[in-house]
Amino acid sequence: FSGVLSADVLRALLELQERLAAVTAWAPAAGREVTLRDVCYAPLNAQDPELGDCCVNSVTQYFQNNGTRLAMTATQTDGEETGTVDWRDHLIYCV
């Protein structure tokens, strides 16, 4: 993997997504502040979406937009060979 796709970059993307998800803006026509929840695409809960219902198209979605899952490792045995798998292996498996 190159520097563009590294654990540090994925953590930074996740942090940016979290900050963007927390942004609010005043909507004069509505007379209130609006959030991502008010404008997001939430096909599984379109009537009353929560932030977690919003469809997010990002490489971090392979880790459920969760830093803990991104940091996970596991021991895997393949035949006679045992090794540690991490976010790279998970991403390759998913893609």
Side-chain angles (χ1 to χ4, degrees):
F1 289 87
S2 71
V4 173
L5 190 59
S6 68
D8 289 339
V9 170
L10 292 173
R11 280 190 292 275
L13 286 171
L14 187 55
E15 183 181 311
L16 176 60
Q17 278 180 211
E18 290 169 355
R19 287 198 322 252
L20 289 171
V23 169
T24 63
W26 178 256
R32 66 182 180 89
E33 283 200 342
V34 294
T35 67
L36 176 61
R37 180 178 167 213
D38 296 303
V39 298
C40 79
Y41 175 59
L44 300 179
N45 187 8
Q47 298 304 315
D48 189 28
E50 294 296 323
L51 195 54
D53 297 323
C54 297
C55 182
V56 175
N57 294 313
S58 170
V59 68
T60 60
Q61 185 59 42
Y62 288 109
F63 309 97
Q64 293 76 45
N65 295 316
N66 183 306
T68 301
R69 289 195 174 106
L70 174 63
M72 289 174 83
T73 61
T75 302
Q76 180 176 346
T77 302
D78 184 12
E80 299 282 323
E81 203 171 312
T82 299
T84 301
V85 294
D86 63 6
W87 67 271
R88 293 173 195 90
D89 302 287
H90 180 75
L91 189 60
I92 289 169
Y93 178 79
C94 290
V95 174

